[in-house]
Amino acid sequence: MAEVEPHEGEQDLEKKIEETRQRFNNELLQDSTEKYDPRDVERLQTDDSLVEGYLTWRIYNVDDALKMIDESLHWRKEYGVNDINESTIPRWMFETGAVYLHGYDKEGNKLFWFKVKLHVKDAKTVIDKKKYVAFWLERYAKKEPGMPLTVVFDMTDSGLSNVDMEFVKYIINCFKVYYPKFLSKMIIVDMPWILNAAWKIVKSWLGPEAISKLRFASKSEVQTYIGPEYLPPQMGGTDSFKYSYPPLPDDDFQTPICDNGPIVSDDDRESKEGDLDVKDALESSFTSDVVVKPKKVNFLEQSLRSEDNDKGDASARTKGARKPLTTFKGSLLDVSPAEELSFGSGETEKKSLIILNNVVKNQVAFKVRTTAPDKYRVKPSSSCCEPGASVDIVVSLHGGSQASPQDRFLIMAAEMENAGSQDLSQFWKEVPKTKIMEHRLRCHVLESAKPAIKSFKDNPMETMPIEQQELNIALMRVTACTSRLEQKLDNTLWLQKVLIVLVVVLVMLNLLCLHLLGTAQQPS
């Protein structure tokens, strides 16, 4: 019976969501209408993924989920989370660089850095510090909804004076209660031995879900979780990023290269006046909203080439591209897919299609950026979309490049109210940032079954009896099923039950295979 509980939980998810909402209205909202921010209540009533996050984190127990929702929404009202912005946080907090978002781990999760040595316990500033953490979490939640974070506590050169147990407990509650399913891992780097006792106390505050995500690593071991490209030199990495403020650090989105060749922006031309060969200026870049940093965080402003109006050519471009199945409903454009572009190693898996649909009465200008401009070719990378029309954008891997979970794509759009003879490059220079719609897509790397099949083919036992071959094929299918279940059901306690059953099945199949092999090898 226990083996089917997860399946039943998934089947009844919609009912669980509806039950949670009804009980919230009847048991919590009715008696305390002013306890919560109306904006949070509205979101809870309309956003299924939000309710699902609470339910999943509490293993589909509605009672536990309601307690979590009550505590979370009360906290959001108390701290005014919906109204926190850069201007409401004391400037000196941004300038310290004690907390910031930058880079990705090997699984493609954003890194949330805490420089512990820069934190000093001070009761006068504790509320502002808590709001500061909430600012970063809320900012990320809006930019990449549903995507987990990896928290990195850099304990280098820290001591007892830097450990504020109340503040640490607050950070843990942020991931344990306020932002369910946000935590991928919590990596404690280079912790001094003198703080071991403090962390034993911290572990007692963590629930079983969070404890399983805790990792302790030395400077040399941290590369197990984070690649060198996103680690500072003192941790054995190659990342030359240096935090400074203003502005806030952001994803390293740059202009991709069009199928027809590199795009050189108007700003680029102005910066190299007198240079007759503008096409050679591939490496020039200009900062926009991020910290200045070689190669990684410089933004290249788009210059806009004429859109390809040849429908026959457009059809050829999109041929073989992976079609999107989901749609994000935006204020200016509907974007398909909603969350991720998928790429694989096969020849038919190197292209993905983005479809933009204009949902406003005016023309909409758009441009596409990526964190890996050398890997991808985008066509068109920038243009405009007529009212009621759609545009197909083909994103393809270049040469022998391989997609990575760390790769991101940014779609920027702005409404052109006077599109008649308006110059697009000038338009992007002048359009207010508040009028620009942004939507981010992550990269999903498809797993190919070819290596697994090859390993069976190359096995010297390929001449084994037919019965054993069939058993091995069944074993391969069970293994693949296990892998898919592990990815889909991560962060849930009942996954352990499923895995135990599958392990038993695998062991039995292996024993049966060995028995059949021994039988086949016996002389008749």
Side-chain angles (χ1 to χ4, degrees):
M1 180 67 80
E3 299 149 21
V4 299
E5 285 178 1
H7 178 64
E8 290 175 354
E10 286 187 322
Q11 276 190 331
D12 295 339
L13 180 58
E14 290 185 7
K15 293 180 180 178
K16 292 278 189 181
I17 290 174
E18 185 59 31
E19 179 187 351
T20 303
R21 284 180 175 145
Q22 288 180 356
R23 290 187 56 185
F24 173 79
N25 292 334
N26 297 334
E27 300 173 19
L28 299 176
L29 190 61
Q30 193 171 22
D31 297 332
S32 52
T33 54
E34 296 184 1
K35 185 179 180 181
Y36 313 119
D37 188 319
R39 290 168 290 185
D40 293 328
V41 174
E42 181 181 0
R43 185 175 167 226
L44 190 75
Q45 304 288 11
T46 57
D47 188 348
D48 287 351
S49 63
L50 177 64
V51 183
E52 182 182 352
Y54 288 113
L55 285 167
T56 305
W57 195 243
R58 304 318 304 163
I59 322 171
Y60 300 101
N61 185 304
V62 176
D63 289 331
D64 291 345
L66 283 171
K67 292 177 183 177
M68 194 174 179
I69 290 170
D70 176 54
E71 187 175 348
S72 178
L73 266 58
H74 177 65
W75 167 78
R76 292 180 66 86
K77 174 72 178 292
E78 180 184 358
Y79 280 81
V81 175
N82 288 312
D83 298 313
I84 291 177
N85 56 58
E86 196 172 341
S87 64
T88 63
I89 304 294
R91 181 185 175 97
W92 67 266
M93 288 192 173
F94 290 106
E95 292 174 342
T96 63
V99 179
Y100 58 86
L101 290 164
H102 171 70
Y104 300 90
D105 67 10
K106 289 185 175 181
E107 296 174 350
N109 302 309
K110 192 74 175 177
L111 299 177
F112 193 20
W113 292 87
F114 286 81
K115 299 287 187 179
V116 179
K117 72 175 182 179
L118 299 177
H119 176 81
V120 178
K121 185 175 181 179
D122 183 0
K124 296 179 181 179
T125 60
V126 67
I127 297 298
D128 284 333
K129 288 177 181 176
K130 290 180 177 180
K131 289 184 177 181
Y132 183 48
V133 173
F135 164 81
W136 283 107
L137 291 172
E138 193 70 7
R139 188 171 189 262
Y140 179 74
K142 291 176 180 177
K143 287 191 172 185
E144 296 206 33
M147 284 298 291
L149 284 167
T150 290
V151 178
V152 183
F153 281 100
D154 182 3
M155 307 285 290
T156 306
D157 299 328
S158 62
L160 289 174
S161 62
N162 304 117
V163 178
D164 183 345
M165 301 303 283
E166 180 189 352
F167 188 61
V168 171
K169 190 172 186 178
Y170 168 78
I171 295 170
I172 289 171
N173 269 342
C174 283
F175 294 100
K176 186 179 176 182
V177 180
Y178 309 146
Y179 292 90
K181 294 184 68 178
F182 246 49
L183 184 63
S184 169
K185 291 181 291 294
M186 185 179 289
I187 306 174
I188 318 299
V189 182
D190 204 23
M191 187 180 72
W193 65 269
I194 199 171
L195 299 181
N196 283 339
W199 276 103
K200 286 181 180 178
I201 297 173
V202 171
K203 287 181 70 174
S204 69
W205 296 335
L206 297 169
E209 306 95 342
I211 287 179
S212 66
K213 299 173 184 296
L214 197 61
R215 308 285 187 272
F216 290 89
S218 64
K219 289 181 180 179
S220 59
E221 294 169 337
V222 70
Q223 292 196 29
T224 305
Y225 311 106
I226 306 170
E229 68 273 18
Y230 289 120
L231 284 174
Q234 63 267 29
M235 291 185 183
T238 59
D239 191 356
S240 58
F241 171 79
K242 299 290 184 183
Y243 179 90
S244 64
Y245 178 84
L248 292 171
D250 203 345
D251 284 302
D252 311 331
F253 287 107
Q254 295 179 291
T255 300
I257 297 178
C258 184
D259 279 347
N260 295 332
I263 295 175
V264 183
S265 72
D266 286 346
D267 287 348
D268 209 3
R269 294 189 182 94
E270 292 170 6
S271 70
K272 293 188 176 290
E273 280 185 332
D275 188 345
L276 298 178
D277 191 6
V278 179
K279 290 187 291 184
D280 291 337
L282 305 184
E283 299 300 326
S284 60
S285 60
F286 295 83
T287 56
S288 174
D289 293 327
V290 297
V291 181
V292 179
K293 168 187 168 186
K295 293 185 181 179
K296 283 200 169 185
V297 292
N298 287 345
F299 277 57
L300 295 173
E301 286 297 329
Q302 295 270 15
S303 69
L304 302 175
R305 296 288 181 88
S306 299
E307 184 179 4
D308 187 359
N309 293 319
D310 185 354
K311 294 183 179 180
D313 183 59
S315 176
R317 278 195 293 110
T318 59
K319 186 177 181 181
R322 181 175 293 273
K323 304 297 189 295
L325 301 176
T326 57
T327 300
F328 166 78
K329 301 290 185 180
S331 57
L332 303 177
L333 296 171
D334 287 349
V335 182
S336 301
E339 296 181 351
E340 58 188 23
L341 294 176
S342 298
F343 298 93
S345 57
E347 287 302 317
T348 60
E349 300 171 340
K350 292 185 177 294
K351 285 185 178 182
S352 279
L353 186 65
I354 300 174
I355 301 176
L356 305 179
N357 287 288
N358 188 342
V359 296
V360 295
K361 62 181 180 180
N362 294 316
Q363 202 174 53
V364 173
F366 68 86
K367 52 185 177 180
V368 182
R369 286 174 171 170
T370 177
T371 56
D374 295 334
K375 287 186 182 181
Y376 298 96
R377 298 296 179 263
V378 180
K379 188 174 183 181
S381 60
S382 57
S383 186
C384 54
C385 186
E386 299 294 332
S390 64
V391 174
D392 292 347
I393 301 173
V394 177
V395 182
S396 56
L397 282 165
H398 176 60
S401 298
Q402 297 293 321
S404 167
Q406 289 94 338
D407 299 341
R408 296 289 191 276
F409 299 87
L410 173 67
I411 298 166
M412 303 174 68
E415 189 173 5
M416 304 179 68
E417 296 179 356
N418 302 308
S421 58
Q422 195 169 6
D423 180 72
L424 288 177
S425 59
Q426 189 65 30
F427 168 78
W428 281 112
K429 293 177 186 178
E430 297 175 353
V431 64
K433 191 174 181 180
T434 55
K435 293 189 176 182
I436 297 177
M437 168 191 146
E438 292 187 355
H439 185 65
R440 298 168 188 239
L441 298 172
R442 57 185 179 266
C443 179
H444 173 66
V445 181
L446 299 170
E447 293 185 4
S448 175
K450 291 181 181 179
I453 296 173
K454 186 176 185 298
S455 65
F456 276 99
K457 183 178 179 180
D458 293 344
N459 196 302
M461 296 170 61
E462 62 183 292
T463 56
M464 63 181 66
I466 297 297
E467 295 86 352
Q468 189 170 349
Q469 291 183 28
E470 292 176 351
L471 283 170
N472 275 330
I473 293 172
L475 178 61
M476 182 179 66
R477 289 173 178 168
V478 172
T479 303
C481 180
T482 303
S483 177
R484 287 194 299 270
L485 281 171
E486 185 174 358
Q487 293 177 4
K488 184 177 180 182
L489 306 178
D490 193 21
N491 296 330
T492 57
L493 295 178
W494 43 263
L495 169 61
Q496 297 174 9
K497 301 176 183 179
V498 178
L499 289 177
I500 289 171
V501 173
L502 288 174
V503 167
V504 171
V505 172
L506 289 173
V507 171
M508 293 176 65
L509 283 172
N510 272 318
L511 291 173
L512 186 57
C513 287
L514 292 172
H515 174 72
L516 289 174
L517 180 61
T519 304
Q521 290 177 345
Q522 290 179 356
S524 56

